[in-house]
């Protein structure tokens, strides 16, 4: 579980979020949405303990993130960035094994139990047959699955993902988010990911966290669909959301 208490975060005089209080529950998939530059990545990195300074409190599992050591954060949260991983000769199993770093000895030697967790993590995302394939010989969707397997191998109750559907085509986006939903429900994890895919957020996620600076609205997906918050936030943008059909279209909005 992630808890935000009177959280204020920003850069210099620019406040992205002000006095926000919200809870992201365990066993659920939550989409973090908002317009460009409103702080989605900043909030995720603050939760992970690697972002900009903030006031208020961020807690994971009841423990304030600000008081955690680097190892404690690694045992509490896994973070998947939006960047592509394309390192020649780096095998998938080696990437996933990095997730076991908080639990190995001082030279990074893995036990039989660690290796079993790596194998199970690859199997959980349907990539067990790719274990010895190198990352530079795989598609973006396959690589993203491997990075999620690395996060699973980290054995954390919380997984944070920054725009995991970037660089993927539409079928792959739905497939990946369906995978995240299954992992949240079957593994009981708290999974929070940022996205620009409003239809995916409303159709596949349990909850939606909408950044409307300086506010953060967290609602079950069904309530968010009919709240009017999304239409108001995006009404002047080129992205148009239809609450009736839960679809997104892109067109220029004419001003009177």
């Amino acid at each position: 579980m992630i808890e935000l208490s009177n959280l204020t975060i920003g850069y210099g005089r620019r406040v992205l979020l002000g006095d926000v209080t919200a809870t992201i529950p365990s066993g659920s998939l939550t989409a973090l949405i908002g317009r460009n530059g409103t702080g989605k990545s900043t909030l995720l990195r603050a939760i992970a303990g690697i972002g900009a300074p903030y006031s208020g409190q961020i807690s994971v599992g009841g423990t304030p993130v600000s008081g955690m050591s680097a190892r404690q954060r690694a045992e509490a949260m896994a973070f998947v960035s939006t960047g592509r991983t394309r390192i020649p000769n780096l095998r998938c199993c080696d990437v996933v094994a990095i997730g076991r770093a908080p639990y190995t000895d001082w030279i990074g030697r893995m036990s039989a139990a660690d290796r079993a967790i790596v194998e199970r993590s690859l199997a959980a995302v349907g990539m067990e047959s790719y274990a010895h394939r190198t990352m530079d010989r795989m598609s973006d969707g396959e690589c993203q699955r491997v990075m999620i397997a690395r996060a699973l191998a980290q054995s954390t109750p919380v997984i944070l993902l920054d725009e995991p559907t970037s660089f993927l085509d539409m079928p792959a986006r739905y497939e990946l988010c369906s995978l995240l939903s299954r992992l949240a429900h079957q593994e009981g994890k708290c999974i929070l990911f940022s996205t620009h895919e409003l239809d995916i957020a409303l159709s596949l996620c349990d909850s939606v966290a909408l950044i409307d600076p300086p506010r953060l609205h967290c609602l079950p997906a069904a309530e968010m669909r009919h709240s009017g918050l999304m239409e108001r936030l995006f009404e002047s943008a080129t992205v148009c959301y239809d609450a009736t059909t839960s679809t997104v279209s892109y067109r220029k909005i004419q001003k009177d």
Side-chain angles (χ1 to χ4, degrees):
M1 176 186 295
I2 300 169
E3 296 174 288
L4 312 177
S5 302
N6 305 117
L7 177 68
T8 296
I9 187 169
Y11 295 97
R13 296 183 178 179
R14 184 188 179 196
V15 175
L16 297 173
L17 294 172
D19 199 27
V20 165
T21 296
T23 298
I24 310 297
S26 300
S28 67
L29 178 64
T30 300
L32 177 63
I33 66 175
R35 298 182 69 169
N36 287 336
T38 54
K40 297 186 296 296
S41 296
T42 300
L43 177 58
L44 288 173
R45 294 177 68 84
I47 294 171
I50 57 176
Y54 58 85
S55 63
Q57 184 166 287
I58 301 173
S59 298
V60 171
T63 302
V65 172
S66 59
M68 292 181 177
S69 64
R71 177 164 185 164
Q72 287 173 323
R73 290 198 304 271
E75 293 174 351
M77 297 171 284
F79 182 75
V80 180
S81 70
T82 191
R84 302 185 187 189
T85 302
R86 283 288 189 276
I87 303 176
N89 302 319
L90 184 64
R91 300 179 303 170
C92 294
C93 58
D94 297 327
V95 174
V96 177
I98 294 172
R100 298 307 301 163
Y103 313 101
T104 56
D105 60 25
W106 66 278
I107 59 172
R109 181 170 46 201
M110 292 204 304
S111 65
D114 291 318
R115 288 190 289 273
I117 290 173
V118 169
E119 293 175 2
R120 286 199 302 269
S121 299
L122 281 166
V125 300
M127 297 295 289
E128 62 270 36
S129 62
Y130 289 69
H132 297 287
R133 183 175 296 188
T134 56
M135 296 286 286
D136 58 322
R137 297 172 54 203
M138 295 165 54
S139 70
D140 290 333
E142 291 166 345
C143 287
Q144 200 68 298
R145 281 177 172 264
V146 171
M147 297 310 294
I148 293 172
R150 191 269 302 160
L152 286 176
Q154 205 169 323
S155 301
T156 61
V158 172
I159 299 178
L160 308 169
L161 305 99
D162 192 5
E163 297 193 28
T165 59
S166 294
F167 316 119
L168 305 183
D169 59 22
M170 186 57 70
R173 292 175 187 179
Y174 272 91
E175 185 179 5
L176 179 60
C177 290
S178 296
L179 168 64
L180 293 177
S181 178
R182 175 171 59 84
L183 293 173
H185 298 151
Q186 294 182 0
E187 303 285 340
K189 295 182 182 293
C190 173
I191 301 182
L192 174 65
F193 73 103
S194 62
T195 183
H196 290 287
E197 311 294 336
L198 305 187
D199 49 343
I200 288 178
L202 293 171
S203 62
L204 296 180
C205 296
D206 301 293
S207 302
V208 176
L210 172 65
I211 296 181
D212 182 9
R215 298 175 296 276
L216 178 69
H217 304 283
C218 293
L219 294 173
E223 291 185 26
M224 183 64 77
R225 182 179 297 116
H226 301 292
S227 68
L229 292 168
M230 297 176 72
E231 294 92 328
R232 187 184 73 214
L233 182 63
F234 293 103
E235 64 183 357
S236 62
T238 54
V239 56
C240 303
Y241 166 67
D242 186 330
T244 303
T245 60
S246 297
T247 58
V248 178
S249 61
Y250 297 86
R251 62 180 175 82
K252 184 68 176 180
I253 297 176
Q254 298 298 325
K255 295 293 186 178
D256 295 333

